[in-house]
């Protein structure tokens, strides 16, 4: 063994040493910032949040979030409270919404401690946040998620309106955002988007003075009626094509390369 050259890991690279790696994933953070700016122009005058759930779609929230912040992003969406806690350490001033809502009364204190804003999407979520008090006068800020046709998460429109009327009297919690999620916005002609818009607009009447948000990446490229106060792109930030069947206006952020192990010539019929 004594004749072997020492192997010195390359400190510039994370993960496997590039000399040993079977592949390489390159994340272009300048392209990410350019995509944020393109979405900001597209959505204006609405603001643009950054959806960084699932570790920023696998690109590394710790790398992605500060770049978005520097590009002007002040509102972030994660899926899990743990992701929110990690993001809080990086972005002390950001508004951080947790899409999956509250994980029951035992989880609520973490939202208070790390100033995470739960996206409340069920009557259980609502009563849990109402009952939670880390301080009696605390405002309990949150978002209210209403399901307008995706059938995934959220209050029914009827539940949302009933909540708004009751909460206007009690003031138990402080909605900062009313939101819903589009199911088919990638197909610009899909009739469901218009129906979701109309349902959302009807619910908004009950939430006057509260910001609204409906559009994901694809929705940001529908007509301006869908933008409201805040759009919530994820995949387009990371270079994904927002509109099916149209050219992709986003810059490429992710490049995957793999080693070609060997190239061989084989005659027809050979195994
Ligand atoms: C994931 C998610 C987004 C972002 O969606 P993209 O299609 O990636 O832009 C926006 N809003 C909600 C509620 C989400 O769950």
């Amino acid at each position: 063994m004594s004749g072997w050259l020492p192997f010195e890991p390359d400190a510039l690279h994370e993960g496997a040493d590039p000399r040993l790696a079977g592949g390489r994933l390159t994340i272009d953070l300048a392209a990410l910032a350019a995509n944020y700016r393109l979405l900001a122009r597209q959505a204006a005058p609405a603001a643009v949040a950054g959806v960084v759930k699932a570790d920023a779609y696998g690109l590394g929230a710790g790398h992605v979030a500060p770049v978005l912040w520097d590009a002007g992003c002040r509102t972030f969406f994660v899926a899990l409270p743990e992701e929110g806690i990690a993001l809080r350490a990086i972005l002390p001033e950001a508004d951080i919404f947790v899409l999956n809502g509250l994980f029951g009364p035992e989880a609520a204190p973490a939202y208070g401690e790390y100033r995470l804003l739960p996206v409340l999407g069920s009557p259980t979520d609502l009563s849990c946040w109402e009952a939670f008090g880390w301080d009696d006068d605390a405002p309990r800020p949150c978002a209210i998620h209403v399901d307008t046709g995706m059938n995934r998460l959220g209050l029914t429109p009827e539940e949302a309106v009933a909540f708004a009327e009751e909460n206007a009297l009690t003031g138990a919690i402080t909605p900062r955002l009313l939101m819903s999620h589009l199911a088919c916005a990638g197909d610009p002609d899909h009739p469901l988007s218009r129906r979701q818009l109309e349902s959302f607009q009807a619910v908004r009447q009950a939430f006057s003075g509260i910001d609204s948000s409906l559009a994901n990446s694809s929705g940001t490229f529908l007509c301006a009626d869908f933008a409201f106060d805040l759009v919530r792109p994820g995949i387009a930030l990371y270079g994904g094509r927002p509109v099916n069947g149209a050219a992709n206006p986003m810059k490429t952020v992710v490049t995957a390369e793999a080693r070609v192990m060997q190239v061989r010539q084989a005659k027809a019929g050979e195994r």
Side-chain angles (χ1 to χ4, degrees):
M1 295 280 281
S2 57
W4 291 25
L5 288 173
F7 183 83
E8 298 196 355
D10 181 344
L12 286 176
H13 294 87
E14 280 182 36
D17 186 291
R19 292 165 292 183
L20 304 183
R24 172 167 58 196
L25 194 71
T26 305
I27 315 294
D28 183 343
L29 295 174
L32 172 74
N35 285 344
Y36 182 84
R37 291 191 295 267
L38 189 152
L39 288 160
R41 286 193 298 277
Q42 176 71 25
V48 181
V51 178
V52 296
K53 65 190 179 192
D55 202 22
Y57 291 42
L59 308 196
H63 294 289
V64 163
V67 171
L68 295 178
W69 176 271
D70 288 344
C73 185
R74 295 293 176 263
T75 304
F76 293 80
F77 287 86
V78 295
L80 305 170
E82 279 189 327
E83 294 179 312
I85 292 169
L87 190 58
R88 175 57 72 217
I90 303 170
L91 297 178
E93 305 298 326
D95 283 338
I96 302 175
F97 287 96
V98 180
L99 289 166
N100 289 9
L102 271 177
F103 286 7
E106 306 80 20
Y111 291 72
E113 184 174 346
Y114 295 96
R115 291 173 287 124
L116 306 178
L117 301 156
V119 178
L120 306 176
S122 68
T124 316
D125 268 359
L126 290 174
S127 51
C128 178
W129 198 229
E130 272 176 22
F132 175 61
W134 61 90
D135 165 354
D136 278 349
D137 297 326
R140 297 177 186 81
C142 60
I144 302 295
H145 196 168
V146 55
D147 179 31
T148 53
M150 188 177 200
N151 292 309
R152 188 178 68 181
L153 292 172
L155 301 167
T156 66
E158 296 74 23
E159 285 169 341
V161 169
F163 158 75
E165 287 166 356
E166 198 184 302
N167 194 63
L169 301 176
T170 65
I173 68 179
T174 315
R176 294 258 311 270
L177 188 69
L178 175 71
M179 57 173 270
S180 187
H181 196 34
L182 295 167
C184 306
D187 298 323
D189 300 324
H190 203 292
L192 180 59
S193 297
R194 180 61 49 186
R195 289 205 299 275
Q196 289 196 263
L197 176 66
E198 285 164 8
S199 168
F200 189 62
Q201 281 166 329
V203 175
R204 272 183 86 227
Q205 306 298 317
F207 286 82
S208 68
I210 293 162
D211 279 355
S212 304
S213 175
L214 178 61
N216 60 342
S217 296
S218 306
T220 305
F221 291 88
L222 294 174
C223 82
D225 292 352
F226 287 82
F228 293 98
D229 302 294
L230 181 74
V231 298
R232 306 186 309 270
I235 192 68
L237 285 171
Y238 310 123
R241 184 177 64 168
V243 183
N244 296 338
N248 187 358
M250 312 315 298
K251 281 196 196 302
T252 299
V253 175
V254 184
T255 308
E257 296 162 282
R259 278 185 203 279
V260 176
M261 304 309 299
Q262 204 172 60
V263 178
R264 306 177 74 95
Q265 297 291 329
K267 295 200 183 78
E270 276 187 339
R271 293 298 171 102

